[in-house]
Amino acid sequence: EVQLQASGGGLVQTGGSLRLSCAASGFTFGEHHIGWFRQVPGKVREGIACIGSDGDYTWFEDSVKGRFTISRDNAKNTAYLQMNSVTYEDTAVYFCATGNRNICGWYDYWGQGTQVTVSS
């Protein structure tokens, strides 16, 4: 069974940093991409970052480009989202996801999210 668990969320001040982790199990982690999404109540879940299976390919949504980085440790079956220079607009529940095809943009499995709250 594919399982993804995001963690590391919490309360952070504007301008601060936070690192989220996505622990994966139930599939060959090193053969699949990992995407990060976020959702605010009442709004559509949005994709913000993705990393390819070997870490060579990354993609970022414009609103986080230059502030967030994505990485992975295939030996630990874990992906990370480093959030820097956060703003109030980054407040959301953050999720990680993967898919049966190793293509950023293809998602079949979602983990439970972790709440990130940015305070002024």
Side-chain angles (χ1 to χ4, degrees):
E1 178 187 4
V2 173
Q3 292 190 337
L4 299 162
Q5 180 63 59
S7 63
L11 180 64
V12 59
Q13 289 189 329
T14 297
S17 297
L18 205 60
R19 189 176 82 157
L20 306 184
S21 298
C22 174
S25 63
F27 65 103
T28 306
F29 184 77
E31 295 181 358
H32 293 269
H33 63 295
I34 296 292
W36 282 97
F37 291 75
R38 64 186 180 187
Q39 188 167 24
V40 175
K43 293 191 176 181
V44 175
R45 184 177 299 185
E46 64 170 343
I48 58 170
C50 184
I51 186 167
S53 59
D54 59 5
D56 284 352
Y57 172 81
T58 59
W59 167 86
F60 297 93
E61 195 270 333
D62 285 347
S63 67
V64 305
K65 197 176 295 182
R67 300 188 299 121
F68 292 9
T69 60
I70 190 171
S71 61
R72 63 191 295 158
D73 185 338
N74 286 351
K76 295 183 178 179
N77 286 3
T78 302
Y80 305 95
L81 183 71
Q82 178 67 42
M83 305 169 61
N84 298 325
S85 303
V86 296
T87 70
Y88 176 77
E89 286 69 31
D90 295 320
T91 296
V93 177
Y94 285 72
F95 304 84
C96 55
T98 191
N100 290 323
R101 299 187 67 182
N102 182 24
I103 300 173
C104 281
W106 187 292
Y107 299 101
D108 301 292
Y109 307 100
W110 300 83
Q112 293 194 346
T114 186
Q115 174 72 47
V116 172
T117 303
V118 181
S119 65
S120 58

